[in-house]
Amino acid sequence: MSQLERELLTVRPRLRTMAHSRRRFFGTAWKEQLLGYGFLAPSLVLFGIFLFYPLAKSVYLSLYLTDPRGRIAAFAGFDNYMELLRSGAFYDSLKVTGLFTLYTVPTVIVWGLLLAALTHSRTRGMRFMQLLFSMPVALSVGTASVMWMMMFHPTAGMWNAILEGIGLPPVHWLTDPKWALASVSIMTVWMNIGFTYIVLLSGLKGIPEELYDSAKIDGAGPIRSFLRISLPLLSPTVFFVGIVSVIGAVQSFGQVHILTKGGPMHHTDVVVYSIYQEAFINYRFGTGSARALVLFAIVLLLTVIQYRFFERKVHYQ
């Protein structure tokens, strides 16, 4: 028997073993993939019903004109989008939404960060303060809006009573164009600060205490420790809260609908409320769907911009 034949006799069993192991591996991997998709199937069905189908339906309706009953009347193509881009009211609603986002998002993050830093210590009574600052997260938008509507009441409200008590004239919080958007923004900040506070406090609790002990040994005070240790290590949490807050602010609807209904004089007419008016008040589902898709594109663009420019300053370690 030649040397080549002896080597072939030695290699062939190894090749058969490797081929069997490979078939067994791919068979097991295929079964695991099927099992994984089986577990995901209920969630995929729910996503398909409540997310993907409405999205596809909105794309379809945005290309058509509809009658008051929502039935397809005529094909419009991109005319709904062209009408939207020529509409001054749409740009006004975008401006209002931008101002509302500017008023609420930085304020929520700054106040949430400040409260989380003040109540992060293990001092006696901090548990109660943490519970107190977290309470707004348990309230719905409707409940919070009704509460603040009573506080904003021009004659029986708490805020005007405080102003009168210190000698200042009362303010028409929800009916004065100068104060309406600011009033809704104040209510939104209070409503969202609970979630932001909980997330930021959780991020602070994840920072090792040894770092603060080392900073104390080096002579660093509380403010310097916060700026040099807490804030850099908390940047991933702040980045997450910023993205979620921007998306939530752009999609705000409930508080505007309950408090001002877009008024006075459209000074609180945010984009989502204009979509509601266009689709369910004016029964123009085609243009309403076009507005919704444009808003989706704006939210996607804002998220990409945040990831592109702000993630560079995030320290994950």
Side-chain angles (χ1 to χ4, degrees):
M1 183 179 295
S2 63
Q3 180 68 22
L4 180 60
E5 292 176 346
R6 284 195 299 268
E7 290 181 357
L8 288 176
L9 289 176
T10 305
V11 171
R12 282 176 182 174
R14 296 180 182 178
L15 292 176
R16 285 196 295 267
T17 303
M18 292 175 60
H20 178 70
S21 300
R22 187 175 181 181
R23 287 194 299 269
R24 186 176 179 182
F25 172 77
F26 282 107
T28 304
W30 178 250
K31 291 179 182 179
E32 290 180 353
Q33 287 184 358
L34 287 178
L35 182 62
Y37 283 116
F39 284 123
L40 287 175
S43 299
L44 292 176
V45 171
L46 292 176
F47 270 99
I49 294 174
F50 296 105
L51 182 62
F52 300 130
Y53 173 74
L55 179 61
K57 188 69 173 180
S58 296
V59 174
Y60 175 73
L61 287 175
S62 67
L63 302 176
Y64 289 86
L65 298 177
T66 58
D67 61 15
R69 295 185 179 181
R71 297 176 300 186
I72 301 299
F75 179 75
F78 292 99
D79 290 345
N80 289 331
Y81 294 95
M82 299 304 297
E83 178 183 352
L84 181 63
L85 295 177
R86 292 192 296 263
S87 173
F90 177 70
Y91 292 106
D92 291 339
S93 64
L94 281 179
K95 179 181 177 181
V96 172
T97 304
L99 290 174
F100 179 76
T101 304
L102 185 63
Y103 292 162
T104 57
V105 173
T107 309
V108 167
I109 294 176
V110 170
W111 274 102
L113 191 59
L114 178 62
L115 294 176
L118 292 176
T119 58
H120 174 52
S121 63
R122 297 180 180 178
T123 310
R124 186 177 179 181
M126 286 298 105
R127 292 281 185 178
F128 174 75
M129 299 303 296
Q130 292 173 4
L131 175 64
L132 184 65
F133 294 143
S134 303
M135 285 181 63
V137 78
L139 298 177
S140 64
V141 178
T143 303
S145 299
V146 172
M147 289 172 51
W148 280 81
M149 180 183 291
M150 292 186 291
M151 289 190 288
F152 282 138
H153 194 276
T155 57
M158 181 185 72
W159 299 119
N160 278 344
I162 294 175
L163 292 178
E164 291 177 357
I166 59 177
L168 295 177
V171 175
H172 297 278
W173 300 97
L174 301 177
T175 56
D176 189 345
K178 297 179 180 179
W179 286 97
L181 186 60
S183 302
V184 178
S185 300
I186 293 172
M187 176 263 161
T188 305
V189 168
W190 179 86
M191 183 182 65
N192 293 338
I193 203 169
F195 169 77
T196 305
Y197 169 75
I198 291 173
V199 174
L200 293 175
L201 182 63
S202 301
L204 283 176
K205 289 182 178 295
I207 300 176
E209 291 291 337
E210 292 81 4
L211 297 177
Y212 296 107
D213 295 336
S214 300
K216 288 181 181 179
I217 294 174
D218 293 337
I223 297 178
R224 187 174 182 182
S225 297
F226 177 78
L227 295 176
R228 295 301 181 91
I229 298 176
S230 301
L231 203 57
L233 294 178
L234 201 62
S235 57
T237 309
V238 175
F239 179 64
F240 165 76
V241 168
I243 291 179
V244 173
S245 299
V246 169
I247 294 175
V250 174
Q251 295 178 341
S252 296
F253 168 77
Q255 59 269 45
V256 175
H257 180 59
I258 295 174
L259 293 176
T260 62
K261 297 190 183 321
M265 299 170 59
H266 302 287
H267 278 75
T268 59
D269 190 12
V270 294
V271 175
V272 176
Y273 192 75
S274 69
I275 294 172
Y276 164 77
Q277 288 182 314
E278 191 72 11
F280 300 103
I281 302 299
N282 300 329
Y283 296 104
R284 300 181 62 187
F285 294 99
T287 54
S289 299
R291 288 181 183 234
L293 292 173
V294 171
L295 178 63
F296 170 76
I298 292 173
V299 172
L300 181 61
L301 179 63
L302 290 175
T303 305
V304 171
I305 291 174
Q306 285 179 290
Y307 268 102
R308 186 70 180 270
F309 294 100
F310 295 107
E311 194 181 16
R312 300 174 183 176
K313 300 182 180 180
V314 174
H315 303 278
Y316 291 101
Q317 294 180 352

